[in-house]
Amino acid sequence: MSHRSLALLTVLAGLSWSGLAQDSKKNPKDDPDAIGNRNVGQGVNFYSLDKEIALGKQLAQEVERQAKVVTDPVIAEYINRVGQNIVRNSDAKVPFTIKVLDSEEVNAFALPGGFFFINSGLILKADSEAELAGVMGHEIAHVACRHGTRNATRGEIAQIGMIAASIAIPYGWTGYAIRQGAGMAIPMGFLAFSRANEREADHLGLQYMYKAGYDPTAFVDFFEKIETLEKRKPGSIAKVFLTHPMTDDRIKASQDEIQKDLEPKPEYVVNTSEFNDVKARLAMLHGRRQVMQDDPNRPKLRRAPGTGTGPVDDGTTNTDPDERPTLKRRDTGGGN
């Protein structure tokens, strides 16, 4: 009898050890519960985090000199709050500054060091807060992975190689031209990412929005939508946003990861009344500007000096604290 008990314990111990061994082999990058405790930005990088933040701040100042930032406090506060919630549920190790640009172009980009810009045109194209969260999660993942400065490091290494090669060229004129070309490519590296970069941002961005409580399928829905929009109306999507489009293989990979890595939750946040209010507010601002631009016969008023030019609060913003987020139950009985 004791021999049987000993044999049973041995078998159970073996099974337990086998299960632990399988769990230990799971890649932390596939585990949303490991968010914040994994180094997703590893790799050769000439930039310290402090240097990366300083660089991002300098680039962000240049963006703000060339573009108009939406200063409406309701819009700015809401977008920042949604983004910061995703940042808290990410692997990012830098603070984020999130602003809305007044542009109808569908675009969003995050600079090194956590300086994140999202165009009003993209917000207007999103049908729900979850779709917006999907885009934000993807861009936040680029920063968490430090793709911008790691790409720039590769560019600098290549440039060093070009300089070394040019020394051996008589008079150096050809080498000089090569160095100029290499130098021009480096800044674009902060925004134009490789297919591997984009896949990693897809993979982690899905986890970030999921961890923040959003339905991850909205990520695929939005990127499929902008691909369709670009095909129907070429030029409506920013070129840098489509450098590596949401191709069929990326869509399939994202769908597989949702099924494999993201355990279904009873409920997800899909939309909120705040998102609808902010979108309506942005549409009103765009519509007002469009009317002024398109109607040459529209009466024009000129303010007397000193009367002020501040915006008028239209009172349409819904601040009812009883408004609840729209939740969607996930069907766990079958596939998508």
Side-chain angles (χ1 to χ4, degrees), residues 173-250:
W173 289 112
T174 304
Y176 177 78
I178 293 171
R179 291 202 305 275
Q180 289 293 92
M184 289 296 290
I186 292 172
M188 193 58 189
F190 296 130
L191 293 176
F193 302 114
S194 68
R195 283 188 177 275
N197 290 161
E198 294 293 356
R199 277 294 303 119
E200 187 173 29
D202 290 346
H203 181 62
L204 297 178
L206 278 168
Q207 294 180 28
Y208 298 163
M209 68 179 296
Y210 167 85
K211 191 74 181 286
Y214 293 102
D215 178 11
T217 61
F219 172 88
V220 176
D221 291 343
F222 183 78
F223 279 95
E224 285 182 318
K225 179 193 304 176
I226 64 170
E227 284 296 291
T228 301
L229 175 64
E230 178 64 16
K231 289 176 182 176
R232 188 172 67 244
K233 188 180 178 183
S236 56
I237 311 297
K239 285 185 174 58
V240 71
F241 201 58
L242 290 176
T243 301
H244 293 288
M246 179 58 83
T247 51
D248 290 343
D249 61 320
R250 282 178 62 190

Side-chain angles (χ1 to χ4, degrees), residues 95-109:
F96 269 68
T97 301
I98 304 171
K99 296 184 179 182
V100 180
L101 296 182
D102 186 5
S103 170
E104 295 183 14
E105 190 175 48
V106 178
N107 194 20
F109 58 93

Side-chain angles (χ1 to χ4, degrees), residues 23 174 303:
D23 289 343
T174 304
R303 291 182 181 270

Side-chain angles (χ1 to χ4, degrees), residues 51 81 97 115-116 147 187 256 263 272 280:
K51 186 178 178 182
R81 178 157 36 90
T97 301
F115 295 86
F116 185 4
H147 285 154
D256 289 345
E263 184 178 345
T272 63

Side-chain angles (χ1 to χ4, degrees), residues 288 291-293 295-301:
R288 184 183 298 163
V291 167
M292 293 179 67
Q293 291 173 347
D295 186 0
N297 298 318
R298 184 175 182 271
K300 295 179 175 59
L301 301 177

Side-chain angles (χ1 to χ4, degrees), residues 37 67 105 122 146 151 162 211 263 282 316 325:
N37 298 311
E105 190 175 48
L122 187 146
R146 307 185 70 191
N151 286 348
M162 295 293 187
K211 191 74 181 286
E263 184 178 345
L282 272 174
T316 59

